[in-house]
Amino acid sequence: MSTTFPPRAGAPGRAGRFTEADCRLDEFTALLETETDLGLYPYADRAVRGVLCYGAAAVDAAADPVAREELSDEIAQALLTGPGIVVFDRAFDDRHGLRASTELFTAMIAAQRATGAGGGDHFAAPGANDRIWNALQKHALRDPASFARYYANDVLALVATAWLGPMYQVTSAINVVNPGGTAQSPHRDYHLGFMAPETAKRFRRHTHLLSPALTLQGAVAQVDMPVSSGPTLYLPYSQRYEPGYLAFNLPEFREYFEANHVQLELHAGDAVFFNPALFHAAGSNRSTGIRRMANLLQISSAFGRAMDAVDRSAILRAVYPELVALAASGDSRGVENLIAASAEGYAFPSNLDRDQPLGGMHGETQAELTRRALDAGLAPAAFAAELAALDERHRP
Ligand SMILES: [Fe+2]
């Protein structure tokens, strides 16, 4: 009886576990020799060195429900079997308070420095980078109006839903790479990319294939990023390489990455989304004066676990008046997008002694509670009380 599960040509032995011996550079490079055929991606504006770029026409098309579904299918295909990376030109602009958000993040970093808080970064030497961890919650609490404008963004909701389905969980980290900041080593991202190879090896092949479906990586360029400032380096199509979570650590794969990576200049407001299994690395900032600021969005499937611990009740209490105003303006899409970025959309884990379903399969979620409060015109204090009761029903 075969010990390989599930069966496939060239599958690893040992009951479907990858080892370094399965990592073959020739097989990897053969996968990368794919031309990006724009005919397969009719909503894309252009392909640049294999990377699919979407313009305003795609965003406008997303307002139509049928076109939105087609575009979502296209984005999911691009991330799964296509180049693994899409760029949306100017996805964020002054309608989303882009410039004001950059000023806010700059002020937050200055405050962190002044108090000696934050600053630790597991990817860089001390001082080379500035970070705001859990920027989602800090942004919402510091300036709810700015947060609401930013996260009502429809491109973010479109791509997150296309890849992860509904009930996704947004987290954010602001990353500033200062002049002189050096490049990262090529890697894959969370989940299996964030552990030692010896640990990743203990997960069988099906989990290596599953890991990318649990997360979407996004980055919003908060400022213009010419190549000299070191925007991220990528290898399009590398997410398709099955043993890639082990291969990215190997010298011959690192050398190949060094020689063959793609690097795209970005403009302020451009948003990049990529499959977390794509080989990538932040570039070196060789500019003399550009503090390269990106909002790194790590968006989790409802079925995954995010890296950041986020107090979503606190975000909702802060943002609720903004949601009320947005609902009153008639922007129902913006309301949904903002709820999706703020609230817990999934019902579990919960305390099933206390959290009895009133109908259906589960108790009310934070997102459902928020929609109900908006529909009923609940006052902020009453909404906060209901949120606290929901938190209590979820407490072990
Ligand atoms: Fe990364």
Side-chain angles (χ1 to χ4, degrees), residues 62-74:
D64 173 72
V66 174
R68 190 179 185 88
E69 287 306 308
E70 291 173 354
L71 174 56
S72 299
D73 289 345
E74 180 176 319

PDB file of all heavy atoms in Angstrom, residues 62-74:
ATOM      1  N   ALA A  62     -15.795  46.482 -10.254  1.00  0.00           N
ATOM      2  CA  ALA A  62     -16.164  45.748  -9.040  1.00  0.00           C
ATOM      3  C   ALA A  62     -17.453  46.275  -8.410  1.00  0.00           C
ATOM      4  O   ALA A  62     -18.010  45.631  -7.516  1.00  0.00           O
ATOM      5  CB  ALA A  62     -15.027  45.794  -8.027  1.00  0.00           C
ATOM      6  N   ALA A  63     -17.940  47.422  -8.875  1.00  0.00           N
ATOM      7  CA  ALA A  63     -19.208  47.934  -8.357  1.00  0.00           C
ATOM      8  C   ALA A  63     -20.390  47.128  -8.870  1.00  0.00           C
ATOM      9  O   ALA A  63     -21.470  47.129  -8.263  1.00  0.00           O
ATOM     10  CB  ALA A  63     -19.367  49.411  -8.736  1.00  0.00           C
ATOM     11  N   ASP A  64     -20.188  46.430  -9.992  1.00  0.00           N
ATOM     12  CA  ASP A  64     -21.263  45.604 -10.560  1.00  0.00           C
ATOM     13  C   ASP A  64     -21.148  44.184  -9.984  1.00  0.00           C
ATOM     14  O   ASP A  64     -20.072  43.577 -10.045  1.00  0.00           O
ATOM     15  CB  ASP A  64     -21.111  45.557 -12.088  1.00  0.00           C
ATOM     16  CG  ASP A  64     -22.084  44.576 -12.704  1.00  0.00           C
ATOM     17  OD1 ASP A  64     -23.286  44.887 -12.734  1.00  0.00           O
ATOM     18  OD2 ASP A  64     -21.646  43.473 -13.111  1.00  0.00           O
ATOM     19  N   PRO A  65     -22.226  43.643  -9.426  1.00  0.00           N
ATOM     20  CA  PRO A  65     -22.121  42.344  -8.732  1.00  0.00           C
ATOM     21  C   PRO A  65     -21.600  41.201  -9.610  1.00  0.00           C
ATOM     22  O   PRO A  65     -20.802  40.378  -9.136  1.00  0.00           O
ATOM     23  CB  PRO A  65     -23.563  42.061  -8.272  1.00  0.00           C
ATOM     24  CG  PRO A  65     -24.226  43.396  -8.228  1.00  0.00           C
ATOM     25  CD  PRO A  65     -23.566  44.226  -9.291  1.00  0.00           C
ATOM     26  N   VAL A  66     -22.040  41.146 -10.867  1.00  0.00           N
ATOM     27  CA  VAL A  66     -21.596  40.050 -11.735  1.00  0.00           C
ATOM     28  C   VAL A  66     -20.121  40.207 -12.068  1.00  0.00           C
ATOM     29  O   VAL A  66     -19.320  39.257 -11.963  1.00  0.00           O
ATOM     30  CB  VAL A  66     -22.449  39.997 -13.019  1.00  0.00           C
ATOM     31  CG1 VAL A  66     -21.899  38.953 -13.983  1.00  0.00           C
ATOM     32  CG2 VAL A  66     -23.908  39.713 -12.667  1.00  0.00           C
ATOM     33  N   ALA A  67     -19.731  41.425 -12.436  1.00  0.00           N
ATOM     34  CA  ALA A  67     -18.326  41.679 -12.756  1.00  0.00           C
ATOM     35  C   ALA A  67     -17.443  41.453 -11.525  1.00  0.00           C
ATOM     36  O   ALA A  67     -16.315  40.962 -11.636  1.00  0.00           O
ATOM     37  CB  ALA A  67     -18.152  43.102 -13.276  1.00  0.00           C
ATOM     38  N   ARG A  68     -17.971  41.791 -10.355  1.00  0.00           N
ATOM     39  CA  ARG A  68     -17.190  41.603  -9.116  1.00  0.00           C
ATOM     40  C   ARG A  68     -16.865  40.123  -8.905  1.00  0.00           C
ATOM     41  O   ARG A  68     -15.763  39.775  -8.493  1.00  0.00           O
ATOM     42  CB  ARG A  68     -17.985  42.160  -7.932  1.00  0.00           C
ATOM     43  CG  ARG A  68     -17.189  42.253  -6.626  1.00  0.00           C
ATOM     44  CD  ARG A  68     -18.041  42.842  -5.517  1.00  0.00           C
ATOM     45  NE  ARG A  68     -17.299  43.054  -4.286  1.00  0.00           N
ATOM     46  CZ  ARG A  68     -16.613  44.157  -3.973  1.00  0.00           C
ATOM     47  NH1 ARG A  68     -16.586  45.159  -4.811  1.00  0.00           N
ATOM     48  NH2 ARG A  68     -15.965  44.260  -2.840  1.00  0.00           N
ATOM     49  N   GLU A  69     -17.835  39.255  -9.172  1.00  0.00           N
ATOM     50  CA  GLU A  69     -17.594  37.818  -9.031  1.00  0.00           C
ATOM     51  C   GLU A  69     -16.552  37.336 -10.034  1.00  0.00           C
ATOM     52  O   GLU A  69     -15.676  36.533  -9.709  1.00  0.00           O
ATOM     53  CB  GLU A  69     -18.897  37.026  -9.185  1.00  0.00           C
ATOM     54  CG  GLU A  69     -19.827  37.163  -7.995  1.00  0.00           C
ATOM     55  CD  GLU A  69     -19.134  36.803  -6.673  1.00  0.00           C
ATOM     56  OE1 GLU A  69     -18.543  35.720  -6.582  1.00  0.00           O
ATOM     57  OE2 GLU A  69     -19.157  37.634  -5.735  1.00  0.00           O
ATOM     58  N   GLU A  70     -16.674  37.807 -11.282  1.00  0.00           N
ATOM     59  CA  GLU A  70     -15.690  37.404 -12.308  1.00  0.00           C
ATOM     60  C   GLU A  70     -14.291  37.885 -11.922  1.00  0.00           C
ATOM     61  O   GLU A  70     -13.312  37.140 -12.030  1.00  0.00           O
ATOM     62  CB  GLU A  70     -16.066  38.011 -13.666  1.00  0.00           C
ATOM     63  CG  GLU A  70     -17.314  37.446 -14.280  1.00  0.00           C
ATOM     64  CD  GLU A  70     -17.736  38.204 -15.529  1.00  0.00           C
ATOM     65  OE1 GLU A  70     -17.121  39.245 -15.872  1.00  0.00           O
ATOM     66  OE2 GLU A  70     -18.712  37.769 -16.168  1.00  0.00           O
ATOM     67  N   LEU A  71     -14.222  39.122 -11.487  1.00  0.00           N
ATOM     68  CA  LEU A  71     -12.930  39.691 -11.088  1.00  0.00           C
ATOM     69  C   LEU A  71     -12.360  38.933  -9.884  1.00  0.00           C
ATOM     70  O   LEU A  71     -11.152  38.663  -9.816  1.00  0.00           O
ATOM     71  CB  LEU A  71     -13.113  41.176 -10.771  1.00  0.00           C
ATOM     72  CG  LEU A  71     -11.923  41.940 -10.193  1.00  0.00           C
ATOM     73  CD1 LEU A  71     -10.705  41.836 -11.108  1.00  0.00           C
ATOM     74  CD2 LEU A  71     -12.298  43.419  -9.981  1.00  0.00           C
ATOM     75  N   SER A  72     -13.235  38.569  -8.950  1.00  0.00           N
ATOM     76  CA  SER A  72     -12.782  37.822  -7.771  1.00  0.00           C
ATOM     77  C   SER A  72     -12.221  36.457  -8.170  1.00  0.00           C
ATOM     78  O   SER A  72     -11.192  36.019  -7.636  1.00  0.00           O
ATOM     79  CB  SER A  72     -13.948  37.635  -6.789  1.00  0.00           C
ATOM     80  OG  SER A  72     -14.426  38.890  -6.360  1.00  0.00           O
ATOM     81  N   ASP A  73     -12.904  35.791  -9.102  1.00  0.00           N
ATOM     82  CA  ASP A  73     -12.390  34.510  -9.606  1.00  0.00           C
ATOM     83  C   ASP A  73     -11.013  34.704 -10.235  1.00  0.00           C
ATOM     84  O   ASP A  73     -10.099  33.887 -10.035  1.00  0.00           O
ATOM     85  CB  ASP A  73     -13.337  33.927 -10.663  1.00  0.00           C
ATOM     86  CG  ASP A  73     -14.648  33.427 -10.076  1.00  0.00           C
ATOM     87  OD1 ASP A  73     -14.730  33.264  -8.840  1.00  0.00           O
ATOM     88  OD2 ASP A  73     -15.601  33.212 -10.858  1.00  0.00           O
ATOM     89  N   GLU A  74     -10.885  35.781 -10.991  1.00  0.00           N
ATOM     90  CA  GLU A  74      -9.623  36.058 -11.684  1.00  0.00           C
ATOM     91  C   GLU A  74      -8.493  36.317 -10.678  1.00  0.00           C
ATOM     92  O   GLU A  74      -7.376  35.811 -10.841  1.00  0.00           O
ATOM     93  CB  GLU A  74      -9.818  37.274 -12.596  1.00  0.00           C
ATOM     94  CG  GLU A  74      -8.579  37.658 -13.367  1.00  0.00           C
ATOM     95  CD  GLU A  74      -8.835  38.806 -14.347  1.00  0.00           C
ATOM     96  OE1 GLU A  74      -9.893  38.816 -15.012  1.00  0.00           O
ATOM     97  OE2 GLU A  74      -7.957  39.689 -14.438  1.00  0.00           O
TER      98      GLU A  74
END
